[in-house]
Amino acid sequence: MSRDFEGKSVIVTGAARGQGREMALQFAAAGANVAICDLGRDRVPTVDYEMSGSSLLDEAAEALRAHGGKVIARTCDVRDQQAVDALVETAVAEFGGLDIVVNNAGILSGNRPVHEMSDEQFTTMIDINLTSVWRVSRAAVPHLIARGGGRIVNVSSAAGLVGAPGFGHYCAAKHGVVGLTKTMAAELAPYSITVNAICPGLVDTRMVEHSAGQLAGQMGISEDEAYDAFLAVHHIKERITPSQTAAAVLFLASEPARTTTGACIPVDGGWTAT
């Protein structure tokens, strides 16, 4: 990989595993100094699969350091503004500034009609998947302005462009990310800050694996058959890899994308094409 991000300073949230880790790895391989964060504990009460513990965050940091740049790894609940502020301030102090922010942290839980969801299920989803994008961006933007410009890339979802029965809270959050992305793009363009989003389909991560396992159990089918059922909405019947979503993020953060802003790019096997 070319060193297109040599000396750039990057923050990636939700980066202990999955596509966040791959995004951070690709930035590090391209020469960036990278700060990563994740929850650092196993459970969120409304989520019925395990979160990324501190050991996974440590392993991700070691993988990043192999590329030779500076690395910061912090546990951070993106619902906590003080923790978010501390992460951003640490990155700025250690790296000498901030250039790129990737808002990747997110959860997927539920699979029930909206009228059967609890307040906690709905509000936790919104807080982690949508409000955190605002929290992290609010903390980071003054530093991007001080730098003379920068990039923000948000991770929405194909479910941020269409509906998904059983996941109304997830769709609401991810649609919100799309709206927030477009608004921030207009607001921050005068400061040479671009704001874009990717909208992945079914990415081969622990989060989607858990949902496939749930569906398999409910329907009495194998997990592979459950994945096939999920992929029915894709025109290209392939699981999307974290490296593919990461590549889209790196493009949006790159110099050639300096005039691309307010874009919400599907990486979804054609799910939202029709």
Short mmCIF file of all heavy atoms in Angstrom, two decimals, residues 16-43:
data_model
loop_
_atom_site.label_atom_id
_atom_site.label_comp_id
_atom_site.label_asym_id
_atom_site.label_seq_id
_atom_site.Cartn_x
_atom_site.Cartn_y
_atom_site.Cartn_z
N ALA A 16 -11.64 -1.95 17.85
CA ALA A 16 -10.98 -3.12 18.42
C ALA A 16 -11.11 -4.35 17.54
O ALA A 16 -10.28 -5.26 17.62
CB ALA A 16 -11.53 -3.43 19.82
N ARG A 17 -12.13 -4.38 16.70
CA ARG A 17 -12.32 -5.53 15.82
C ARG A 17 -13.15 -5.09 14.62
O ARG A 17 -13.56 -3.94 14.50
CB ARG A 17 -13.03 -6.66 16.57
CG ARG A 17 -14.47 -6.37 16.95
CD ARG A 17 -15.10 -7.51 17.72
NE ARG A 17 -16.47 -7.18 18.10
CZ ARG A 17 -17.18 -7.85 19.00
NH1 ARG A 17 -16.64 -8.90 19.63
NH2 ARG A 17 -18.42 -7.50 19.28
N GLY A 18 -13.39 -6.04 13.71
CA GLY A 18 -14.28 -5.80 12.59
C GLY A 18 -13.80 -4.73 11.64
O GLY A 18 -12.60 -4.52 11.43
N GLN A 19 -14.76 -4.01 11.07
CA GLN A 19 -14.39 -3.04 10.05
C GLN A 19 -13.65 -1.83 10.64
O GLN A 19 -12.80 -1.23 9.97
CB GLN A 19 -15.61 -2.61 9.24
CG GLN A 19 -16.71 -1.94 10.00
CD GLN A 19 -17.90 -1.60 9.10
OE1 GLN A 19 -17.92 -1.91 7.89
NE2 GLN A 19 -18.90 -0.96 9.66
N GLY A 20 -13.92 -1.48 11.90
CA GLY A 20 -13.17 -0.38 12.51
C GLY A 20 -11.69 -0.70 12.62
O GLY A 20 -10.83 0.15 12.33
N ARG A 21 -11.38 -1.92 13.04
CA ARG A 21 -9.98 -2.34 13.12
C ARG A 21 -9.34 -2.31 11.74
O ARG A 21 -8.20 -1.85 11.58
CB ARG A 21 -9.89 -3.74 13.72
CG ARG A 21 -8.49 -4.31 13.70
CD ARG A 21 -8.44 -5.66 14.37
NE ARG A 21 -7.18 -6.36 14.09
CZ ARG A 21 -6.50 -7.09 14.95
NH1 ARG A 21 -6.97 -7.24 16.18
NH2 ARG A 21 -5.39 -7.68 14.61
N GLU A 22 -10.05 -2.79 10.74
CA GLU A 22 -9.48 -2.81 9.39
C GLU A 22 -9.27 -1.40 8.86
O GLU A 22 -8.26 -1.12 8.20
CB GLU A 22 -10.40 -3.59 8.45
CG GLU A 22 -9.90 -3.72 7.03
CD GLU A 22 -8.59 -4.49 6.91
OE1 GLU A 22 -8.28 -5.33 7.79
OE2 GLU A 22 -7.86 -4.25 5.92
N MET A 23 -10.17 -0.49 9.16
CA MET A 23 -9.97 0.91 8.76
C MET A 23 -8.70 1.47 9.40
O MET A 23 -7.87 2.10 8.73
CB MET A 23 -11.19 1.75 9.18
CG MET A 23 -12.45 1.43 8.43
SD MET A 23 -13.91 2.13 9.27
CE MET A 23 -15.24 1.33 8.36
N ALA A 24 -8.56 1.24 10.70
CA ALA A 24 -7.37 1.73 11.40
C ALA A 24 -6.10 1.11 10.83
O ALA A 24 -5.08 1.80 10.64
CB ALA A 24 -7.49 1.43 12.89
N LEU A 25 -6.13 -0.18 10.54
CA LEU A 25 -4.97 -0.86 9.97
C LEU A 25 -4.58 -0.29 8.61
O LEU A 25 -3.41 -0.09 8.32
CB LEU A 25 -5.24 -2.36 9.85
CG LEU A 25 -5.10 -3.19 11.13
CD1 LEU A 25 -5.67 -4.58 10.91
CD2 LEU A 25 -3.63 -3.28 11.55
N GLN A 26 -5.58 -0.01 7.78
CA GLN A 26 -5.27 0.53 6.46
C GLN A 26 -4.70 1.94 6.56
O GLN A 26 -3.79 2.30 5.81
CB GLN A 26 -6.51 0.48 5.57
CG GLN A 26 -6.89 -0.94 5.14
CD GLN A 26 -7.85 -0.99 3.97
OE1 GLN A 26 -7.98 -0.04 3.20
NE2 GLN A 26 -8.53 -2.11 3.82
N PHE A 27 -5.20 2.74 7.50
CA PHE A 27 -4.60 4.06 7.70
C PHE A 27 -3.16 3.93 8.18
O PHE A 27 -2.26 4.64 7.71
CB PHE A 27 -5.42 4.86 8.72
CG PHE A 27 -6.59 5.59 8.13
CD1 PHE A 27 -7.89 5.28 8.53
CD2 PHE A 27 -6.40 6.61 7.21
CE1 PHE A 27 -8.98 5.96 8.00
CE2 PHE A 27 -7.49 7.30 6.67
CZ PHE A 27 -8.78 6.97 7.07
N ALA A 28 -2.93 3.03 9.14
CA ALA A 28 -1.57 2.85 9.66
C ALA A 28 -0.63 2.37 8.57
O ALA A 28 0.52 2.84 8.47
CB ALA A 28 -1.59 1.86 10.82
N ALA A 29 -1.09 1.44 7.74
CA ALA A 29 -0.26 0.93 6.65
C ALA A 29 0.06 2.01 5.63
O ALA A 29 1.08 1.94 4.93
CB ALA A 29 -0.96 -0.25 5.97
N ALA A 30 -0.82 3.03 5.55
CA ALA A 30 -0.59 4.13 4.61
C ALA A 30 0.16 5.29 5.25
O ALA A 30 0.23 6.38 4.67
CB ALA A 30 -1.93 4.62 4.06
N GLY A 31 0.73 5.07 6.46
CA GLY A 31 1.63 6.04 7.06
C GLY A 31 1.04 6.94 8.13
O GLY A 31 1.75 7.80 8.67
N ALA A 32 -0.23 6.74 8.49
CA ALA A 32 -0.86 7.64 9.46
C ALA A 32 -0.51 7.28 10.90
O ALA A 32 -0.17 6.13 11.21
CB ALA A 32 -2.38 7.59 9.29
N ASN A 33 -0.60 8.27 11.77
CA ASN A 33 -0.64 8.05 13.21
C ASN A 33 -2.10 7.86 13.58
O ASN A 33 -2.96 8.66 13.17
CB ASN A 33 -0.07 9.26 13.96
CG ASN A 33 1.37 9.54 13.57
OD1 ASN A 33 2.20 8.63 13.49
ND2 ASN A 33 1.68 10.81 13.32
N VAL A 34 -2.40 6.82 14.34
CA VAL A 34 -3.80 6.43 14.53
C VAL A 34 -4.15 6.29 16.00
O VAL A 34 -3.44 5.60 16.75
CB VAL A 34 -4.11 5.11 13.80
CG1 VAL A 34 -5.60 4.78 13.89
CG2 VAL A 34 -3.69 5.18 12.33
N ALA A 35 -5.25 6.93 16.41
CA ALA A 35 -5.83 6.74 17.74
C ALA A 35 -7.09 5.90 17.58
O ALA A 35 -7.96 6.23 16.76
CB ALA A 35 -6.16 8.08 18.38
N ILE A 36 -7.17 4.82 18.33
CA ILE A 36 -8.34 3.95 18.27
C ILE A 36 -8.99 3.89 19.65
O ILE A 36 -8.34 4.06 20.68
CB ILE A 36 -7.99 2.54 17.78
CG1 ILE A 36 -6.96 1.87 18.71
CG2 ILE A 36 -7.51 2.57 16.34
CD1 ILE A 36 -6.71 0.40 18.38
N CYS A 37 -10.28 3.63 19.64
CA CYS A 37 -10.98 3.43 20.90
C CYS A 37 -12.04 2.37 20.72
O CYS A 37 -12.46 2.06 19.61
CB CYS A 37 -11.61 4.73 21.40
SG CYS A 37 -13.07 5.26 20.49
N ASP A 38 -12.43 1.80 21.84
CA ASP A 38 -13.56 0.87 21.87
C ASP A 38 -14.07 0.83 23.30
O ASP A 38 -13.46 1.41 24.22
CB ASP A 38 -13.19 -0.51 21.36
CG ASP A 38 -14.32 -1.15 20.55
OD1 ASP A 38 -15.43 -1.26 21.09
OD2 ASP A 38 -14.09 -1.52 19.38
N LEU A 39 -15.16 0.13 23.50
CA LEU A 39 -15.84 0.16 24.79
C LEU A 39 -14.97 -0.40 25.91
O LEU A 39 -14.96 0.11 27.03
CB LEU A 39 -17.16 -0.61 24.70
CG LEU A 39 -18.06 -0.59 25.92
CD1 LEU A 39 -18.50 0.83 26.24
CD2 LEU A 39 -19.28 -1.49 25.69
N GLY A 40 -14.27 -1.51 25.64
CA GLY A 40 -13.37 -2.07 26.64
C GLY A 40 -14.04 -2.91 27.70
O GLY A 40 -13.43 -3.25 28.72
N ARG A 41 -15.28 -3.27 27.49
CA ARG A 41 -15.94 -4.22 28.38
C ARG A 41 -16.87 -5.09 27.55
O ARG A 41 -17.19 -4.77 26.40
CB ARG A 41 -16.71 -3.52 29.50
CG ARG A 41 -17.83 -2.60 29.07
CD ARG A 41 -18.53 -2.00 30.31
NE ARG A 41 -19.69 -1.21 29.96
CZ ARG A 41 -19.67 0.09 29.70
NH1 ARG A 41 -18.52 0.75 29.73
NH2 ARG A 41 -20.78 0.75 29.41
N ASP A 42 -17.35 -6.18 28.15
CA ASP A 42 -18.00 -7.22 27.37
C ASP A 42 -19.46 -6.98 27.06
O ASP A 42 -19.99 -7.56 26.11
CB ASP A 42 -17.88 -8.57 28.09
CG ASP A 42 -16.45 -9.08 28.15
OD1 ASP A 42 -15.66 -8.69 27.27
OD2 ASP A 42 -16.13 -9.85 29.06
N ARG A 43 -20.14 -6.13 27.84
CA ARG A 43 -21.59 -6.07 27.71
C ARG A 43 -22.14 -4.65 27.67
O ARG A 43 -21.65 -3.76 28.34
CB ARG A 43 -22.27 -6.82 28.87
CG ARG A 43 -22.04 -8.33 28.85
CD ARG A 43 -22.74 -9.00 27.69
NE ARG A 43 -22.31 -10.38 27.50
CZ ARG A 43 -22.68 -11.15 26.47
NH1 ARG A 43 -23.48 -10.66 25.55
NH2 ARG A 43 -22.23 -12.39 26.37
#
